[in-house]
Amino acid sequence: NAGVTQTPKFQVLKTGQSMTLQCAQDMNHNSMYWYRQDPGMGLRLIYYSASEGTTDKGEVPNGYNVSRLNKREFSLRLESAAPSQTSVYFCASSETSGRSPYEQYFGPGTRLTVT
Amino acid sequence: GEDVEQSLFLSVREGDSSVINCTYTDSSSTYLYWYKQEPGAGLQLLTYIFSNMDMKQDQRLTVLLNKKDKHLSLRIADTQTGDSAIYFCAEITSGGYNKLIFGAGTRLAVHP
């Protein structure tokens, strides 16, 4: 049981390049999330997927797109990377119905630098 | 709007108690959480409290909730060097899915 896995762990991009961050969970959770973490700002929600086949914008969606490929996988795409997207990106998953307290389980993060 | 605030840094001596404070704004939050982030790792749920409780104790951890003042605290007894980490307070909001609002995190440094 690996929990939430993310690839890659580190990435350096040039401005304007594109890339996709991959996330997978093996806990059969319905909901998945993408956050970015910047110093002194906590975690901010980029996009979420409440269930397979649905995605919605979070707090800071501009410059990103997502795909909920199936129940296990939720990818985040940067179409044209900008230096302002330098951050640590976390994927998380949770169950959102039935048993509380709806704990979110986090992956180890992807450290992205855009030069 | 929704907001969670916490102080950014706390330094304590090994063996002392640590108290990390947090204020939140959404009075309808059903759960409040404390997450721990160790260096280079993701967040891990440390403990949580249901909104109808005032206190929850779990081994060395004590969570206090003051709903009137929207104030949450985490006390770590007998703080150890292994407790050095960033601690995030979070509230869960209503509205169709379980959205977590995180504070900026409190970096706890434990020194000998």
mmCIF file of all heavy atoms in Angstrom, chain B residues 33-73:
data_model
loop_
_atom_site.group_PDB
_atom_site.id
_atom_site.type_symbol
_atom_site.label_atom_id
_atom_site.label_comp_id
_atom_site.label_asym_id
_atom_site.label_seq_id
_atom_site.Cartn_x
_atom_site.Cartn_y
_atom_site.Cartn_z
ATOM 1 N N TYR B 33 -8.010 20.622 12.147
ATOM 2 C CA TYR B 33 -6.928 19.647 12.026
ATOM 3 C C TYR B 33 -5.579 20.278 12.360
ATOM 4 O O TYR B 33 -5.367 21.475 12.168
ATOM 5 C CB TYR B 33 -6.849 19.141 10.580
ATOM 6 C CG TYR B 33 -8.124 18.579 10.017
ATOM 7 C CD1 TYR B 33 -9.083 19.411 9.451
ATOM 8 C CD2 TYR B 33 -8.370 17.209 10.032
ATOM 9 C CE1 TYR B 33 -10.248 18.898 8.923
ATOM 10 C CE2 TYR B 33 -9.536 16.694 9.496
ATOM 11 C CZ TYR B 33 -10.472 17.535 8.946
ATOM 12 O OH TYR B 33 -11.622 17.013 8.420
ATOM 13 N N TRP B 34 -4.699 19.404 12.798
ATOM 14 C CA TRP B 34 -3.287 19.747 12.861
ATOM 15 C C TRP B 34 -2.520 18.749 12.001
ATOM 16 O O TRP B 34 -2.604 17.544 12.212
ATOM 17 C CB TRP B 34 -2.756 19.701 14.298
ATOM 18 C CG TRP B 34 -3.191 20.865 15.132
ATOM 19 C CD1 TRP B 34 -4.159 20.884 16.079
ATOM 20 C CD2 TRP B 34 -2.657 22.197 15.068
ATOM 21 N NE1 TRP B 34 -4.278 22.145 16.619
ATOM 22 C CE2 TRP B 34 -3.362 22.969 16.025
ATOM 23 C CE3 TRP B 34 -1.656 22.823 14.315
ATOM 24 C CZ2 TRP B 34 -3.101 24.324 16.229
ATOM 25 C CZ3 TRP B 34 -1.401 24.156 14.524
ATOM 26 C CH2 TRP B 34 -2.119 24.903 15.474
ATOM 27 N N TYR B 35 -1.799 19.292 11.014
ATOM 28 C CA TYR B 35 -0.938 18.488 10.164
ATOM 29 C C TYR B 35 0.512 18.800 10.499
ATOM 30 O O TYR B 35 0.857 19.928 10.869
ATOM 31 C CB TYR B 35 -1.177 18.805 8.682
ATOM 32 C CG TYR B 35 -2.360 18.100 8.069
ATOM 33 C CD1 TYR B 35 -3.651 18.599 8.225
ATOM 34 C CD2 TYR B 35 -2.193 16.947 7.316
ATOM 35 C CE1 TYR B 35 -4.732 17.957 7.654
ATOM 36 C CE2 TYR B 35 -3.269 16.297 6.736
ATOM 37 C CZ TYR B 35 -4.534 16.810 6.914
ATOM 38 O OH TYR B 35 -5.616 16.171 6.345
ATOM 39 N N LYS B 36 1.369 17.800 10.304
ATOM 40 C CA LYS B 36 2.805 17.955 10.557
ATOM 41 C C LYS B 36 3.556 17.720 9.256
ATOM 42 O O LYS B 36 3.238 16.779 8.512
ATOM 43 C CB LYS B 36 3.252 16.943 11.608
ATOM 44 C CG LYS B 36 4.739 16.964 11.944
ATOM 45 C CD LYS B 36 5.071 15.883 12.968
ATOM 46 C CE LYS B 36 6.549 15.889 13.317
ATOM 47 N NZ LYS B 36 6.895 14.805 14.288
ATOM 48 N N GLN B 37 4.535 18.579 8.965
ATOM 49 C CA GLN B 37 5.363 18.395 7.785
ATOM 50 C C GLN B 37 6.821 18.350 8.202
ATOM 51 O O GLN B 37 7.366 19.352 8.690
ATOM 52 C CB GLN B 37 5.154 19.527 6.772
ATOM 53 C CG GLN B 37 5.942 19.317 5.490
ATOM 54 C CD GLN B 37 5.769 20.461 4.506
ATOM 55 O OE1 GLN B 37 5.582 21.610 4.887
ATOM 56 N NE2 GLN B 37 5.828 20.152 3.219
ATOM 57 N N GLU B 38 7.450 17.210 8.008
ATOM 58 C CA GLU B 38 8.878 17.085 8.286
ATOM 59 C C GLU B 38 9.652 17.530 7.058
ATOM 60 O O GLU B 38 9.096 17.554 5.949
ATOM 61 C CB GLU B 38 9.187 15.659 8.698
ATOM 62 C CG GLU B 38 8.482 15.314 10.004
ATOM 63 C CD GLU B 38 8.869 13.969 10.560
ATOM 64 O OE1 GLU B 38 9.554 13.199 9.860
ATOM 65 O OE2 GLU B 38 8.482 13.678 11.705
ATOM 66 N N PRO B 39 10.919 17.887 7.222
ATOM 67 C CA PRO B 39 11.699 18.425 6.091
ATOM 68 C C PRO B 39 11.671 17.508 4.876
ATOM 69 O O PRO B 39 11.919 16.294 4.983
ATOM 70 C CB PRO B 39 13.109 18.536 6.685
ATOM 71 C CG PRO B 39 12.901 18.709 8.150
ATOM 72 C CD PRO B 39 11.680 17.890 8.483
ATOM 73 N N GLY B 40 11.374 18.087 3.729
ATOM 74 C CA GLY B 40 11.398 17.345 2.478
ATOM 75 C C GLY B 40 10.274 16.355 2.289
ATOM 76 O O GLY B 40 10.310 15.537 1.365
ATOM 77 N N ALA B 41 9.255 16.429 3.118
ATOM 78 C CA ALA B 41 8.165 15.449 3.048
ATOM 79 C C ALA B 41 6.821 16.140 2.870
ATOM 80 O O ALA B 41 6.706 17.360 2.986
ATOM 81 C CB ALA B 41 8.143 14.599 4.322
ATOM 82 N N GLY B 42 5.801 15.330 2.595
ATOM 83 C CA GLY B 42 4.448 15.845 2.511
ATOM 84 C C GLY B 42 3.859 16.026 3.896
ATOM 85 O O GLY B 42 4.499 15.787 4.914
ATOM 86 N N LEU B 43 2.612 16.472 3.938
ATOM 87 C CA LEU B 43 1.941 16.681 5.209
ATOM 88 C C LEU B 43 1.332 15.383 5.690
ATOM 89 O O LEU B 43 0.863 14.565 4.903
ATOM 90 C CB LEU B 43 0.828 17.726 5.057
ATOM 91 C CG LEU B 43 1.242 19.192 5.086
ATOM 92 C CD1 LEU B 43 2.020 19.568 3.841
ATOM 93 C CD2 LEU B 43 0.023 20.083 5.244
ATOM 94 N N GLN B 44 1.312 15.243 7.012
ATOM 95 C CA GLN B 44 0.722 14.056 7.610
ATOM 96 C C GLN B 44 -0.218 14.511 8.721
ATOM 97 O O GLN B 44 0.159 15.370 9.530
ATOM 98 C CB GLN B 44 1.831 13.165 8.176
ATOM 99 C CG GLN B 44 1.369 11.809 8.612
ATOM 100 C CD GLN B 44 2.556 10.903 8.891
ATOM 101 O OE1 GLN B 44 3.675 11.360 9.070
ATOM 102 N NE2 GLN B 44 2.298 9.614 8.932
ATOM 103 N N LEU B 45 -1.409 13.944 8.765
ATOM 104 C CA LEU B 45 -2.347 14.315 9.809
ATOM 105 C C LEU B 45 -1.809 13.908 11.173
ATOM 106 O O LEU B 45 -1.469 12.752 11.397
ATOM 107 C CB LEU B 45 -3.711 13.653 9.574
ATOM 108 C CG LEU B 45 -4.795 14.036 10.581
ATOM 109 C CD1 LEU B 45 -5.147 15.515 10.450
ATOM 110 C CD2 LEU B 45 -6.050 13.179 10.383
ATOM 111 N N LEU B 46 -1.756 14.876 12.080
ATOM 112 C CA LEU B 46 -1.262 14.635 13.438
ATOM 113 C C LEU B 46 -2.436 14.330 14.363
ATOM 114 O O LEU B 46 -2.442 13.341 15.089
ATOM 115 C CB LEU B 46 -0.524 15.880 13.912
ATOM 116 C CG LEU B 46 0.383 15.787 15.111
ATOM 117 C CD1 LEU B 46 1.498 14.796 14.872
ATOM 118 C CD2 LEU B 46 0.960 17.167 15.429
ATOM 119 N N THR B 47 -3.427 15.175 14.317
ATOM 120 C CA THR B 47 -4.616 14.995 15.130
ATOM 121 C C THR B 47 -5.716 15.911 14.602
ATOM 122 O O THR B 47 -5.461 16.777 13.769
ATOM 123 C CB THR B 47 -4.331 15.290 16.628
ATOM 124 O OG1 THR B 47 -5.486 14.942 17.406
ATOM 125 C CG2 THR B 47 -3.987 16.755 16.865
ATOM 126 N N TYR B 48 -6.928 15.708 15.085
ATOM 127 C CA TYR B 48 -8.039 16.543 14.676
ATOM 128 C C TYR B 48 -9.000 16.651 15.847
ATOM 129 O O TYR B 48 -8.942 15.878 16.817
ATOM 130 C CB TYR B 48 -8.748 15.960 13.458
ATOM 131 C CG TYR B 48 -9.444 14.646 13.746
ATOM 132 C CD1 TYR B 48 -10.784 14.614 14.121
ATOM 133 C CD2 TYR B 48 -8.761 13.439 13.674
ATOM 134 C CE1 TYR B 48 -11.415 13.422 14.418
ATOM 135 C CE2 TYR B 48 -9.380 12.247 13.973
ATOM 136 C CZ TYR B 48 -10.712 12.240 14.335
ATOM 137 O OH TYR B 48 -11.335 11.060 14.630
ATOM 138 N N ILE B 49 -9.904 17.612 15.771
ATOM 139 C CA ILE B 49 -10.914 17.759 16.802
ATOM 140 C C ILE B 49 -12.237 18.090 16.136
ATOM 141 O O ILE B 49 -12.288 18.865 15.173
ATOM 142 C CB ILE B 49 -10.501 18.833 17.843
ATOM 143 C CG1 ILE B 49 -11.469 18.843 19.034
ATOM 144 C CG2 ILE B 49 -10.393 20.213 17.204
ATOM 145 C CD1 ILE B 49 -10.936 19.634 20.223
ATOM 146 N N PHE B 50 -13.278 17.483 16.614
ATOM 147 C CA PHE B 50 -14.615 17.759 16.123
ATOM 148 C C PHE B 50 -15.096 19.046 16.767
ATOM 149 O O PHE B 50 -14.773 19.326 17.925
ATOM 150 C CB PHE B 50 -15.527 16.586 16.453
ATOM 151 C CG PHE B 50 -16.877 16.651 15.819
ATOM 152 C CD1 PHE B 50 -17.025 16.929 14.466
ATOM 153 C CD2 PHE B 50 -18.017 16.422 16.562
ATOM 154 C CE1 PHE B 50 -18.274 16.984 13.877
ATOM 155 C CE2 PHE B 50 -19.276 16.480 15.983
ATOM 156 C CZ PHE B 50 -19.401 16.758 14.650
ATOM 157 N N SER B 51 -15.888 19.797 16.074
ATOM 158 C CA SER B 51 -16.229 21.151 16.516
ATOM 159 C C SER B 51 -17.081 21.193 17.782
ATOM 160 O O SER B 51 -17.202 22.253 18.405
ATOM 161 C CB SER B 51 -16.934 21.905 15.396
ATOM 162 O OG SER B 51 -18.106 21.209 15.026
ATOM 163 N N ASN B 52 -17.681 20.077 18.172
ATOM 164 C CA ASN B 52 -18.484 20.107 19.403
ATOM 165 C C ASN B 52 -17.674 19.703 20.628
ATOM 166 O O ASN B 52 -18.218 19.519 21.708
ATOM 167 C CB ASN B 52 -19.733 19.235 19.269
ATOM 168 C CG ASN B 52 -19.393 17.760 19.221
ATOM 169 O OD1 ASN B 52 -18.223 17.388 19.129
ATOM 170 N ND2 ASN B 52 -20.402 16.911 19.273
ATOM 171 N N MET B 53 -16.364 19.565 20.449
ATOM 172 C CA MET B 53 -15.482 19.223 21.557
ATOM 173 C C MET B 53 -14.690 20.459 21.979
ATOM 174 O O MET B 53 -14.445 21.358 21.179
ATOM 175 C CB MET B 53 -14.499 18.129 21.131
ATOM 176 C CG MET B 53 -15.174 16.831 20.726
ATOM 177 S SD MET B 53 -14.036 15.683 19.923
ATOM 178 C CE MET B 53 -12.922 15.289 21.251
ATOM 179 N N ASP B 54 -14.298 20.483 23.258
ATOM 180 C CA ASP B 54 -13.434 21.556 23.752
ATOM 181 C C ASP B 54 -11.984 21.134 23.818
ATOM 182 O O ASP B 54 -11.076 21.960 23.739
ATOM 183 C CB ASP B 54 -13.861 21.959 25.176
ATOM 184 C CG ASP B 54 -15.262 22.514 25.205
ATOM 185 O OD1 ASP B 54 -15.646 23.189 24.242
ATOM 186 O OD2 ASP B 54 -15.969 22.264 26.195
ATOM 187 N N MET B 55 -11.781 19.847 24.015
ATOM 188 C CA MET B 55 -10.423 19.363 24.224
ATOM 189 C C MET B 55 -10.321 17.931 23.712
ATOM 190 O O MET B 55 -11.274 17.156 23.770
ATOM 191 C CB MET B 55 -10.073 19.391 25.712
ATOM 192 C CG MET B 55 -8.636 18.999 26.018
ATOM 193 S SD MET B 55 -8.235 19.045 27.765
ATOM 194 C CE MET B 55 -8.757 17.439 28.272
ATOM 195 N N LYS B 56 -9.128 17.621 23.215
ATOM 196 C CA LYS B 56 -8.842 16.241 22.842
ATOM 197 C C LYS B 56 -7.409 15.957 23.228
ATOM 198 O O LYS B 56 -6.519 16.754 22.949
ATOM 199 C CB LYS B 56 -9.035 16.057 21.340
ATOM 200 C CG LYS B 56 -8.745 14.648 20.865
ATOM 201 C CD LYS B 56 -8.960 14.519 19.372
ATOM 202 C CE LYS B 56 -8.649 13.099 18.922
ATOM 203 N NZ LYS B 56 -8.812 12.944 17.460
ATOM 204 N N GLN B 57 -7.200 14.810 23.878
ATOM 205 C CA GLN B 57 -5.845 14.443 24.300
ATOM 206 C C GLN B 57 -5.454 13.148 23.614
ATOM 207 O O GLN B 57 -6.250 12.217 23.520
ATOM 208 C CB GLN B 57 -5.795 14.260 25.811
ATOM 209 C CG GLN B 57 -4.402 14.062 26.338
ATOM 210 C CD GLN B 57 -4.175 14.794 27.653
ATOM 211 O OE1 GLN B 57 -5.106 15.334 28.245
ATOM 212 N NE2 GLN B 57 -2.942 14.804 28.105
ATOM 213 N N ASP B 58 -4.227 13.118 23.126
ATOM 214 C CA ASP B 58 -3.728 11.933 22.438
ATOM 215 C C ASP B 58 -2.252 11.808 22.767
ATOM 216 O O ASP B 58 -1.417 12.441 22.145
ATOM 217 C CB ASP B 58 -3.954 12.079 20.930
ATOM 218 C CG ASP B 58 -3.531 10.837 20.165
ATOM 219 O OD1 ASP B 58 -3.095 9.854 20.793
ATOM 220 O OD2 ASP B 58 -3.654 10.852 18.927
ATOM 221 N N GLN B 59 -1.946 11.025 23.774
ATOM 222 C CA GLN B 59 -0.571 10.829 24.250
ATOM 223 C C GLN B 59 0.049 12.178 24.611
ATOM 224 O O GLN B 59 -0.444 12.868 25.509
ATOM 225 C CB GLN B 59 0.246 10.047 23.218
ATOM 226 C CG GLN B 59 -0.336 8.658 22.966
ATOM 227 C CD GLN B 59 0.468 7.844 21.995
ATOM 228 O OE1 GLN B 59 1.104 8.363 21.075
ATOM 229 N NE2 GLN B 59 0.452 6.533 22.167
ATOM 230 N N ARG B 60 1.097 12.610 23.924
ATOM 231 C CA ARG B 60 1.744 13.877 24.296
ATOM 232 C C ARG B 60 1.038 15.109 23.724
ATOM 233 O O ARG B 60 1.426 16.233 24.015
ATOM 234 C CB ARG B 60 3.196 13.878 23.817
ATOM 235 C CG ARG B 60 4.096 12.898 24.565
ATOM 236 C CD ARG B 60 5.567 13.130 24.222
ATOM 237 N NE ARG B 60 5.861 12.894 22.821
ATOM 238 C CZ ARG B 60 6.386 13.800 21.999
ATOM 239 N NH1 ARG B 60 6.652 15.019 22.441
ATOM 240 N NH2 ARG B 60 6.640 13.509 20.734
ATOM 241 N N LEU B 61 0.017 14.885 22.916
ATOM 242 C CA LEU B 61 -0.663 15.992 22.243
ATOM 243 C C LEU B 61 -1.962 16.341 22.938
ATOM 244 O O LEU B 61 -2.749 15.457 23.282
ATOM 245 C CB LEU B 61 -0.968 15.599 20.796
ATOM 246 C CG LEU B 61 0.192 15.140 19.939
ATOM 247 C CD1 LEU B 61 -0.312 14.742 18.557
ATOM 248 C CD2 LEU B 61 1.253 16.206 19.830
ATOM 249 N N THR B 62 -2.193 17.649 23.129
ATOM 250 C CA THR B 62 -3.467 18.136 23.643
ATOM 251 C C THR B 62 -3.959 19.232 22.709
ATOM 252 O O THR B 62 -3.222 20.176 22.418
ATOM 253 C CB THR B 62 -3.336 18.706 25.063
ATOM 254 O OG1 THR B 62 -2.797 17.706 25.922
ATOM 255 C CG2 THR B 62 -4.699 19.156 25.592
ATOM 256 N N VAL B 63 -5.171 19.081 22.213
ATOM 257 C CA VAL B 63 -5.785 20.093 21.355
ATOM 258 C C VAL B 63 -6.874 20.783 22.165
ATOM 259 O O VAL B 63 -7.700 20.122 22.788
ATOM 260 C CB VAL B 63 -6.390 19.463 20.092
ATOM 261 C CG1 VAL B 63 -7.043 20.536 19.239
ATOM 262 C CG2 VAL B 63 -5.330 18.721 19.303
ATOM 263 N N LEU B 64 -6.829 22.107 22.168
ATOM 264 C CA LEU B 64 -7.871 22.898 22.829
ATOM 265 C C LEU B 64 -8.608 23.721 21.784
ATOM 266 O O LEU B 64 -7.965 24.310 20.894
ATOM 267 C CB LEU B 64 -7.253 23.831 23.871
ATOM 268 C CG LEU B 64 -6.578 23.171 25.070
ATOM 269 C CD1 LEU B 64 -5.969 24.229 25.977
ATOM 270 C CD2 LEU B 64 -7.568 22.326 25.852
ATOM 271 N N LEU B 65 -9.924 23.747 21.879
ATOM 272 C CA LEU B 65 -10.750 24.496 20.938
ATOM 273 C C LEU B 65 -11.642 25.466 21.694
ATOM 274 O O LEU B 65 -12.407 25.057 22.572
ATOM 275 C CB LEU B 65 -11.602 23.539 20.102
ATOM 276 C CG LEU B 65 -12.597 24.182 19.139
ATOM 277 C CD1 LEU B 65 -11.889 25.077 18.124
ATOM 278 C CD2 LEU B 65 -13.431 23.123 18.430
ATOM 279 N N ASN B 66 -11.538 26.729 21.353
ATOM 280 C CA ASN B 66 -12.408 27.770 21.900
ATOM 281 C C ASN B 66 -13.257 28.287 20.740
ATOM 282 O O ASN B 66 -12.807 29.103 19.941
ATOM 283 C CB ASN B 66 -11.561 28.894 22.512
ATOM 284 C CG ASN B 66 -12.418 30.002 23.104
ATOM 285 O OD1 ASN B 66 -13.516 30.280 22.635
ATOM 286 N ND2 ASN B 66 -11.914 30.631 24.135
ATOM 287 N N LYS B 67 -14.474 27.779 20.649
ATOM 288 C CA LYS B 67 -15.319 28.123 19.510
ATOM 289 C C LYS B 67 -15.755 29.577 19.539
ATOM 290 O O LYS B 67 -15.937 30.203 18.499
ATOM 291 C CB LYS B 67 -16.542 27.212 19.461
ATOM 292 C CG LYS B 67 -16.251 25.833 18.927
ATOM 293 C CD LYS B 67 -17.519 25.114 18.553
ATOM 294 C CE LYS B 67 -18.128 25.669 17.275
ATOM 295 N NZ LYS B 67 -19.280 24.886 16.823
ATOM 296 N N LYS B 68 -15.924 30.097 20.729
ATOM 297 C CA LYS B 68 -16.391 31.489 20.836
ATOM 298 C C LYS B 68 -15.364 32.430 20.217
ATOM 299 O O LYS B 68 -15.716 33.345 19.477
ATOM 300 C CB LYS B 68 -16.632 31.826 22.305
ATOM 301 C CG LYS B 68 -17.010 33.260 22.599
ATOM 302 C CD LYS B 68 -17.332 33.428 24.072
ATOM 303 C CE LYS B 68 -17.427 34.881 24.445
ATOM 304 N NZ LYS B 68 -16.111 35.551 24.421
ATOM 305 N N ASP B 69 -14.082 32.174 20.515
ATOM 306 C CA ASP B 69 -13.013 33.031 20.001
ATOM 307 C C ASP B 69 -12.431 32.501 18.692
ATOM 308 O O ASP B 69 -11.497 33.097 18.149
ATOM 309 C CB ASP B 69 -11.895 33.166 21.036
ATOM 310 C CG ASP B 69 -12.358 33.881 22.291
ATOM 311 O OD1 ASP B 69 -13.338 34.655 22.203
ATOM 312 O OD2 ASP B 69 -11.757 33.667 23.358
ATOM 313 N N LYS B 70 -12.928 31.352 18.215
ATOM 314 C CA LYS B 70 -12.390 30.693 17.003
ATOM 315 C C LYS B 70 -10.874 30.522 17.146
ATOM 316 O O LYS B 70 -10.089 30.912 16.274
ATOM 317 C CB LYS B 70 -12.735 31.484 15.749
ATOM 318 C CG LYS B 70 -14.231 31.605 15.484
ATOM 319 C CD LYS B 70 -14.483 32.098 14.075
ATOM 320 C CE LYS B 70 -15.947 32.360 13.826
ATOM 321 N NZ LYS B 70 -16.412 33.636 14.383
ATOM 322 N N HIS B 71 -10.495 29.923 18.245
ATOM 323 C CA HIS B 71 -9.083 29.738 18.563
ATOM 324 C C HIS B 71 -8.809 28.266 18.813
ATOM 325 O O HIS B 71 -9.522 27.599 19.559
ATOM 326 C CB HIS B 71 -8.707 30.564 19.800
ATOM 327 C CG HIS B 71 -7.259 30.489 20.146
ATOM 328 N ND1 HIS B 71 -6.762 29.583 21.063
ATOM 329 C CD2 HIS B 71 -6.194 31.197 19.694
ATOM 330 C CE1 HIS B 71 -5.447 29.744 21.151
ATOM 331 N NE2 HIS B 71 -5.091 30.720 20.337
ATOM 332 N N LEU B 72 -7.758 27.777 18.182
ATOM 333 C CA LEU B 72 -7.341 26.378 18.286
ATOM 334 C C LEU B 72 -5.890 26.356 18.733
ATOM 335 O O LEU B 72 -5.097 27.189 18.278
ATOM 336 C CB LEU B 72 -7.480 25.702 16.928
ATOM 337 C CG LEU B 72 -7.156 24.220 16.813
ATOM 338 C CD1 LEU B 72 -8.258 23.387 17.448
ATOM 339 C CD2 LEU B 72 -6.997 23.827 15.349
ATOM 340 N N SER B 73 -5.555 25.448 19.631
ATOM 341 C CA SER B 73 -4.151 25.329 20.022
ATOM 342 C C SER B 73 -3.741 23.866 20.070
ATOM 343 O O SER B 73 -4.564 22.977 20.270
ATOM 344 C CB SER B 73 -3.882 25.999 21.371
ATOM 345 O OG SER B 73 -4.532 25.303 22.410
#
